[in-house]
Amino acid sequence: MSTPQTDLAIWDIESVDPAKALQIRAMREQVQADPETFWLEQAKRLEWERFPSVGNRSTFEDEVSIRWYEDGKLNVSVNCLDRHLKERGDQTALIWQGNDPGVSRQLTFRELHAEVCRVANALKSLGVKRGDRVAIHLPMTVEVVACMLACARIGAVHVVLFGGFSPEGIGERLIDSGAVAVITCDAAKRGAKTIPHKAVIDAALRHTGSIGSVKNVIVVNVSDTSAPMTAGRDHDYAELVAGQSDVCEPEIMNAEDVFFLLYTSGSTGKPKAIVHTTGGYLVWAAYTVDVTFPAERGTTHWCTADVAWITGHTFVVYGPLANGSTTLLFEGLMGWPQAGRWWDIIDRFNVSSFFTAPTAIRALMRDGDDLPRQYSLASLRRLASAGEPISPDAWLWYYEVIGQKKCPVIDMWWQTETAGPMLSAIAGAQKLKPGWATTGIPGIFPSLTNEKGEIIENREAEGCLCFDESWPGQTRSIWGDHKRFRETYFTFSKGRYFSGDGARRDADGNLMITGRMDDVINVSGHRIGTAEIEDAVATDHSVAEAAAVGINHDLKGQGIVVFVVARNTKTLPSEAHLSKVICERVGRYAAPEKVYLVSELPKTRSGKIVRRLLRKIASNETDSLGDLSSLADTSVVPALIALVQKQL
Ligand code: 6R9
């Protein structure tokens, strides 16, 4: 567990507006006294076909069952599009800025509605039905948003797949989710490069072989490259969609029908699909965006997260659109064709709410302060950060140089499992504290426990971050594995949801996240399980066993270091080869910083690899190795230290 630097943490920003503070206090008091009424009131943010008569019916006990608004009926696309048509049908819903600076598109709510209906009809024409899973593997384009909403329109379950996954990783997810269709593109544009997408899907489908359930592949032409098409299976998006009607009756869903699956990493090698359902998720998306990060009418909301991430689902697509805001989607890279690209986009589209990740802030800081100062940035009203701990110095830079000391910086803590921010300061209602995610938003009750899962009553404390009550956007399960769901989140501290993160609490009850407590590494905001890396390396015939750990990294937050024991000491695999194996099996984003070939790994007497020790050795923190008495053989330690120091 790494602890962010805290020298500046006592510094706070006085920006409290008494009226706003009072309003938020009233919300906190109401939800404390009568949560059922509070959450039913939040449900009024949406248009329901049948308004729910019940709010929370969840229990963290026994088999664990999370249920919200269960007799409610609604359709997500109606809430994001149709209900805005009357009042703001001609307002821009989506601004799309292409990779090429000269290319952009804007769609009004009416235009987006029509496109979504056409895509929904196209999916239907291929036989896609309510409840079917549809994998979406697209870059940041108008089509990705249209396809997500089209699935929502017909009640299909979307599974948005990250562009960086390897073909094998995608194949595995297609099998696990039972996807019947894949929507992809010829190739994605990333700065000066094009990244083949269709070829990756073709390879993934070869990998799934006969156990795969994909019957149709829809290919969007993004880069004007020619992708090979398989007759009878592959369809050109433009051809398929063009002839469709722009009227499509929405499928009316039950609140607890599955809305989408999103894969994330955990402590075991097998990626897990986090299940989110319809009513609770959308109430939560609408509520959290509005309470933490509202966008004034006529201004633009920009969250730079990829749509394949939970932040992209909630803060790029569903939250802003459910609130009737304009959301911006950027296809390209922050530094291409030149540094300052993001600042140019903010000025060009009058972005008022800007949200990015600490890894991006650290990279932008390296460009220096003069660059952003060449832009006006006057439209900005609030800034946010999520995905990993933000250090106080990065927070201050974001506040001073980008926000020009006028915009609050909101550090939000959330997870794929929570679907929206759980810990976040509410601008205007409370003081901000650089490096601290502060408190639970109204309706959220965080607690800290010790390593045994027992509650810590003391205010000032450090422990394991748990939540005592359910919230509407809480994940309902892991797809096909409810037992793993219960064991991962609900057995650590009885009657609580355990997040997997550690946190520190100050005397005022503010929380600072100290990092993951399990075997998950956060590389530039991507969650990667050490077991995923280890399983990938172990498939290579030259490897006997391997252990992966996360070390601090200036730019990425954390980097991956792998210790490998070769099967045969006479023919050692090269570091480059092992790195390639990881990229091929997991994805490019999991490329390790360093692979060490070692003769033995440190293990306990019961044979468990002591990763804590490897992490210290890889970080060159050898003067704080801690208690070594549990090791089966302590002589491996000096050998490992010598090897690492030689290569540092
Ligand atoms: C939204 C998202 C979740 C993990 C989470 C934690 C880390 C997210 C954070 C943060 C410190 C913040 N994390 N927000 N750590 N401060 N504001 O990132 O979802 O990809 O599931 O990752 O990210 O460790 O457990 P996800």
Side-chain angles (χ1 to χ4, degrees):
M1 194 180 3
S2 66
T3 305
Q5 169 203 338
T6 54
D7 345 354
L8 292 162
I10 39 152
W11 189 82
D12 56 22
I13 292 173
E14 307 279 350
S15 57
V16 177
D17 158 11
K20 179 84 183 176
L22 214 62
Q23 179 208 344
I24 297 294
R25 175 133 53 91
M27 286 170 83
R28 292 189 194 281
E29 284 169 3
Q30 190 200 357
V31 70
Q32 188 92 44
D34 184 1
E36 187 76 356
T37 305
F38 175 86
W39 286 118
L40 280 169
E41 265 173 32
Q42 300 314 317
K44 292 183 187 151
R45 294 172 180 269
L46 303 185
E47 187 177 292
W48 298 77
E49 185 69 19
R50 188 210 285 161
F51 191 79
S53 69
V54 290
N56 184 8
R57 290 293 178 271
S58 309
T59 170
F60 294 172
E61 304 288 339
D62 306 321
E63 292 312 301
V64 181
S65 165
I66 318 290
R67 282 146 42 223
W68 282 82
Y69 308 120
E70 58 185 343
D71 60 351
K73 287 181 186 290
L74 77 167
N75 178 280
V76 169
S77 75
V78 166
N79 277 284
C80 292
L81 301 168
D82 305 49
R83 73 177 165 131
H84 303 310
L85 294 184
K86 220 158 131 205
E87 270 184 27
R88 56 185 96 100
D90 297 321
Q91 178 199 306
T92 306
L94 185 64
I95 298 175
W96 174 77
Q97 171 59 57
N99 180 59
D100 178 346
V103 180
S104 71
R105 242 180 106 186
Q106 304 202 8
L107 281 86
T108 62
F109 278 98
R110 204 178 310 287
E111 288 162 340
L112 185 58
H113 177 263
E115 178 73 2
V116 166
C117 287
R118 279 191 291 268
V119 181
N121 285 325
L123 289 172
K124 277 192 188 171
S125 76
L126 297 177
V128 178
K129 302 181 306 297
R130 176 179 179 139
D132 283 349
R133 272 79 63 207
V134 175
I136 301 179
H137 177 250
L138 284 172
M140 299 290 276
T141 52
V142 169
E143 289 78 11
V144 75
V145 177
C147 291
M148 288 166 81
L149 286 161
C151 288
R153 189 130 195 117
I154 64 171
V157 174
H158 61 61
V159 189
V160 183
L161 298 172
F162 173 52
F165 288 146
S166 66
E168 259 178 57
I170 290 181
E172 199 184 342
R173 287 162 176 84
L174 292 176
I175 292 171
D176 182 70
S177 64
V180 300
V182 181
I183 311 176
T184 187
C185 67
D186 56 336
K189 294 182 184 174
R190 303 279 293 158
K193 292 193 201 142
T194 49
I195 315 278
H197 263 45
K198 176 62 168 41
V200 168
I201 292 297
D202 285 342
L205 289 173
R206 278 195 296 279
H207 181 73
T208 63
S210 57
I211 43 170
S213 42
V214 173
K215 295 190 186 61
N216 292 289
V217 178
I218 303 173
V219 187
V220 181
N221 176 9
V222 166
S223 303
D224 271 333
T225 59
S226 63
M229 301 289 272
T230 302
R233 185 196 73 181
D234 299 353
H235 313 268
D236 177 74
Y237 175 94
E239 273 174 32
L240 186 71
V241 170
Q244 303 290 341
S245 157
D246 58 9
V247 178
C248 176
E249 277 307 306
E251 189 75 25
I252 301 305
M253 307 301 287
N254 298 313
E256 282 300 343
D257 283 340
V258 176
F259 176 29
F260 65 82
L261 307 181
L262 192 55
Y263 281 91
T264 190
S265 297
S267 296
T268 75
K270 198 175 171 321
K272 50 186 180 189
I274 294 299
V275 177
H276 285 294
T277 58
T278 310
Y281 172 79
L282 200 64
V283 171
W284 180 241
Y287 170 67
T288 55
V289 167
D290 187 43
V291 85
T292 62
F293 208 54
E296 295 78 18
R297 218 32 58 78
T299 60
T300 304
H301 171 114
W302 184 18
C303 167
T304 66
D306 194 285
V307 278
W309 199 25
I310 190 64
T311 322
H313 282 56
T314 309
F315 270 58
V316 176
V317 183
Y318 295 112
L321 294 179
N323 281 300
S325 305
T326 304
T327 187
L328 190 146
L329 211 68
F330 174 42
E331 185 185 24
L333 303 175
M334 64 161 114
W336 190 86
Q338 69 269 322
R341 184 84 197 271
W342 278 6
W343 317 135
D344 175 58
I345 294 174
I346 290 175
D347 280 356
R348 193 174 319 176
F349 297 109
N350 284 325
V351 171
S352 72
S353 302
F354 178 72
F355 183 155
T356 194
T359 185
I361 298 169
R362 291 190 295 268
L364 293 162
M365 280 170 82
R366 291 203 168 176
D367 293 339
D369 301 2
D370 289 345
L371 189 78
R373 292 208 164 111
Q374 290 163 23
Y375 297 83
S376 149
L377 306 181
S379 58
L380 291 173
R381 293 284 171 275
R382 58 191 69 77
L383 302 172
S385 160
E388 25 159 355
I390 179 165
S391 64
D393 50 338
W395 193 106
L396 282 169
W397 183 84
Y398 198 25
Y399 176 73
E400 286 172 6
V401 180
I402 306 309
Q404 301 169 355
K405 299 188 185 170
K406 319 184 295 290
C407 307
V409 169
I410 313 295
D411 175 11
M412 301 175 181
W413 178 93
W414 46 314
Q415 306 181 294
T416 310
E417 294 87 339
T418 72
M422 303 284 281
L423 306 179
S424 167
I426 308 292
Q430 68 201 83
K431 290 174 182 175
L432 307 172
K433 208 169 169 178
W436 290 67
T438 72
T439 54
I441 67 168
I444 295 303
F445 301 97
S447 53
L448 291 184
T449 73
N450 61 20
E451 304 255 336
K452 290 192 206 131
E454 297 156 350
I455 203 85
I456 304 175
E457 302 284 355
N458 282 359
R459 255 299 161 92
E460 278 180 86
E462 188 161 337
C464 313
L465 179 64
C466 293
F467 294 90
D468 294 355
E469 304 290 340
S470 183
W471 62 98
Q474 182 170 22
T475 169
R476 303 312 195 242
S477 197
I478 292 172
W479 181 250
D481 201 348
H482 196 71
K483 182 164 170 276
R484 183 178 176 195
F485 174 68
R486 196 178 70 82
E487 284 167 3
T488 307
Y489 306 105
F490 301 95
T491 52
F492 174 76
S493 180
K494 198 170 158 33
R496 293 190 181 82
Y497 167 83
F498 173 46
S499 66
D501 278 38
R504 176 182 306 164
R505 189 165 54 206
D506 73 5
D508 299 323
N510 291 307
L511 290 159
M512 171 203 263
I513 303 298
T514 49
R516 297 288 305 194
M517 303 187 83
D518 54 8
D519 295 324
V520 171
I521 307 176
N522 189 329
V523 181
S524 299
H526 293 295
R527 269 167 73 166
I528 306 169
T530 53
E532 277 176 80
I533 311 273
E534 291 163 8
D535 288 359
V537 178
T539 57
D540 195 75
H541 64 274
S542 68
V543 173
E545 60 177 343
V549 296
I551 57 161
N552 289 345
H553 188 285
D554 283 352
L555 217 52
K556 300 178 184 174
Q558 283 192 295
I560 299 168
V561 171
V562 193
F563 291 85
V564 172
V565 179
R567 205 175 279 280
N568 180 342
T569 47
K570 293 199 187 74
T571 51
L572 292 178
S574 73
E575 185 180 341
H577 169 72
L578 295 171
S579 186
K580 193 166 144 250
V581 168
I582 295 171
C583 293
E584 278 171 5
R585 298 248 157 193
V586 184
R588 292 181 301 275
Y589 65 99
E593 303 304 315
K594 187 80 197 138
V595 179
Y596 292 109
L597 284 159
V598 300
S599 51
E600 230 178 308
L601 295 171
K603 288 189 181 160
T604 62
R605 279 184 211 99
S606 59
K608 284 209 176 81
I609 298 170
V610 188
R611 290 192 182 73
R612 170 186 57 81
L613 194 61
L614 288 171
R615 193 158 39 230
K616 292 265 182 195
I617 294 172
S619 311
N620 202 20
E621 292 170 10
T622 47
D623 44 359
S624 58
L625 292 181
D627 182 13
L628 302 181
S629 61
S630 64
L631 292 188
D633 174 9
T634 50
S635 73
V636 299
V637 177
L640 284 167
I641 294 176
L643 179 95
V644 168
Q645 290 191 339
K646 211 165 74 198
Q647 297 187 35
L648 273 178

